[in-house]
Amino acid sequence: MRGFLASSIGVATAAALALPLALSTPAQAESVPADPAGSTQSLPLVPLAPSGTRIPGVPGMSAAPDPAETRGLAAREVKTFSLVGLVWDDASTPLVGSVQVRTRAVGTRQWSHWQDLDTHNGEHAADPDATERGTGRVRGSTAPLWVGASDAVEVRVQAETGTSRSASRLPSGMRIELVDPGTAAPVAVLDGKNGTGGATTRPAQRPADDPDDEGGSDDDKGDTAAQTGMTMEMAEASSANLPHAPLGALEIPALNKADSTADAVFASDGELTAAAAPYIGPRPKIVTRRGWGADESLRETGFVYTSTVKAAFVHHTASGNNYACKDAPAVLRSLYRYHVVSSGWRDFGYNFAVDKCGTVYEGRAGGVAKPVLGAHTMGFNADSMGIAVIGTYTSTAPPAQAVDAVARLTAWKLGIFGADPRAKTTLKSGGGNRYPKGSNVKLNVISGHRDGFATECPGRLLYNQLPPTRTSSAKLQGR
């Protein structure tokens, strides 16, 4: 993704930030507590005069005869949120311009400086002809930005100035999305080998109310879900990881290379043999969707698969680096809600996520060892997987732990499908701005998003780590 933003939008000075700011709600109002289940506030933007052409002393009045279109929101208090993004009606309409937000932190009540939202986010999406893209729910969107717990916001969006009329128009239906990730309540998880004797308590999604068991059911999944306090949607997502982890597991344990190969052979129902699949790397520990607290009622039910996994595309989320590793599950819940509720996708876009400390998380539902069709690299979602490193790595170097986790994850997952991380493979383009639809494109088995689409993603400094990642991944496979 490109971090391009027009310089014509002024940056607030330290003195301005220190001044009291009049809010559209009473300044002494109490912050509204976060919803335990998470929530999204969607606020429409209104016309503003461009900052460089406002008449002094007359708010909203412009002295320029034909200024670039500008919209935004005056500073206002809102319910608590932690992630912010901008959406608009038509996903095929680009936002040619700049988006800036400033937020007020809960607790300190200090306002941030103006922060940029990455407007080049459309390439993180389903392929042009995919069913997911034709639902009528998909919207245009910026990359989201993690700001931490906040209770007030100000927004300004300015079209890029140019000679043509179209260059100074913004997309219709722009709304600022304020996402609260909710809180994770502890749940008891049954140990798959030792029954209740091995139960552990870990943070996870708030469990649903116990269903009424009267009358019984022949549906084993439904019975088990009721016994573990899971909803049917939670049981559906969890069961996709059998036999790698028991139903309701918060994580899929790490395995050594020999056990990883045996596990993959067992799970393949005879499609793999140990002799035919000697290059499967050790499986890393993977935090499941239940482990990071995914609200399974948000996504569409069922799963969509592609034929195989021939390549892995590495991304950054472009959501900023201002998060602690302990907050990564909350960041994921926010990204997930933004993808589904705000952007209109069927589920979380990426197949896996990796935080700055190197923890690997299950992404789109359907089973970590299966070829789940994602929405991460427009034109090349088929026969591939998407791995998002949480953060922005254009000018910040990715932590070594995160890079190592990408190598470990690709060594295992690509190994299941017989792919050599050092090799090249051929994928058919589903359409994009770099390769025409239907063209056969030779790509590295481990590629960056920019290899399949004209974008800055995964950021220059993360992209530079891909050559050594290919070597490390192959060594973990035993090549």
Side-chain angles (χ1 to χ4, degrees), residues 267-423:
S268 71
D269 293 327
E271 294 181 13
L272 283 176
T273 66
Y279 296 119
I280 298 174
R283 185 178 72 198
K285 184 186 78 172
I286 303 171
V287 177
T288 65
R289 289 170 64 92
R290 195 178 190 211
W292 55 262
D295 181 351
E296 300 294 353
S297 68
L298 297 180
R299 65 173 174 84
E300 291 185 18
T301 57
F303 313 121
V304 181
Y305 298 98
T306 186
S307 299
T308 186
V309 177
K310 298 168 66 176
F313 286 97
V314 178
H315 304 256
H316 66 173
T317 60
S319 52
N321 304 313
N322 188 29
Y323 73 94
C325 292
K326 66 180 178 60
D327 296 324
V331 177
L332 282 174
R333 292 196 300 275
S334 297
L335 292 170
Y336 170 47
R337 179 173 278 274
Y338 184 72
H339 285 181
V340 178
V341 177
S342 300
S343 303
W345 301 357
R346 78 181 316 272
D347 193 357
F348 188 70
Y350 309 104
N351 298 101
F352 296 93
V354 175
D355 69 22
K356 63 173 69 174
C357 289
T359 301
V360 178
Y361 300 87
E362 178 183 14
R364 180 163 287 207
V368 296
K370 298 175 183 177
V372 179
L373 181 66
H376 49 82
T377 308
M378 184 189 291
F380 293 100
N381 289 304
D383 296 341
S384 74
M385 68 174 182
I387 303 168
V389 181
I390 302 173
T392 303
Y393 299 105
T394 303
S395 58
T396 299
Q401 304 97 307
V403 176
D404 178 66
V406 173
R408 291 184 288 110
L409 176 59
T410 52
W412 171 70
K413 183 66 181 275
L414 291 172
I416 292 175
F417 294 91
D420 181 348
R422 302 166 303 180

Side-chain angles (χ1 to χ4, degrees), residues 94-364:
L95 195 164
V96 183
S98 55
V99 181
Q100 290 190 316
V101 299
R102 61 192 298 244
T103 57
R104 191 181 68 185
V106 170
T108 66
R109 300 182 72 81
Q110 293 294 310
W111 282 88
S112 71
H113 290 269
W114 286 103
Q115 300 183 81
D116 301 326
L117 300 188
D118 191 337
T119 60
H120 300 276
N121 191 53
E123 60 269 25
H124 290 255
D127 291 348
D129 292 339
T131 301
E132 180 172 354
R133 201 171 179 85
T135 61
R137 298 191 302 272
V138 178
R139 305 177 188 90
S141 62
T142 66
L145 178 69
W146 176 261
V147 295
S150 304
D151 58 10
V153 66
E154 185 177 7
V155 185
R156 58 191 186 192
V157 182
Q158 183 168 311
E160 182 178 307
T161 56
T163 57
S164 67
R165 178 66 177 169
S166 60
S168 62
R169 302 299 298 176
L170 293 170
S172 63
M174 291 192 301
R175 305 179 71 89
I176 196 72
E177 304 285 293
L178 307 176
V179 181
D180 163 36
T183 56
V187 297
V189 177
L190 302 180
D191 185 304
K193 296 180 179 179
N194 303 312
T196 57
T200 59
T201 300
R202 292 276 305 280
Q205 174 182 335
R206 184 179 60 177
D209 293 336
D210 291 335
D212 186 352
D213 291 333
E214 291 183 7
S217 171
D218 293 330
D219 187 341
D220 292 339
K221 186 189 296 183
D223 289 345
T224 306
Q227 293 167 10
T228 59
M230 292 190 293
T231 64
M232 287 298 294
E233 294 89 352
M234 292 166 67
E236 177 187 49
S238 183
S239 66
N241 286 318
L242 297 172
H244 305 289
L247 192 68
L250 301 180
E251 61 184 42
I252 298 169
L255 293 177
N256 62 30
K257 190 177 188 306
D259 287 343
S260 294
T261 302
D263 182 70
V265 170
F266 174 69
S268 71
D269 293 327
E271 294 181 13
L272 283 176
T273 66
Y279 296 119
I280 298 174
R283 185 178 72 198
K285 184 186 78 172
I286 303 171
V287 177
T288 65
R289 289 170 64 92
R290 195 178 190 211
W292 55 262
D295 181 351
E296 300 294 353
S297 68
L298 297 180
R299 65 173 174 84
E300 291 185 18
T301 57
F303 313 121
V304 181
Y305 298 98
T306 186
S307 299
T308 186
V309 177
K310 298 168 66 176
F313 286 97
V314 178
H315 304 256
H316 66 173
T317 60
S319 52
N321 304 313
N322 188 29
Y323 73 94
C325 292
K326 66 180 178 60
D327 296 324
V331 177
L332 282 174
R333 292 196 300 275
S334 297
L335 292 170
Y336 170 47
R337 179 173 278 274
Y338 184 72
H339 285 181
V340 178
V341 177
S342 300
S343 303
W345 301 357
R346 78 181 316 272
D347 193 357
F348 188 70
Y350 309 104
N351 298 101
F352 296 93
V354 175
D355 69 22
K356 63 173 69 174
C357 289
T359 301
V360 178
Y361 300 87
E362 178 183 14
R364 180 163 287 207

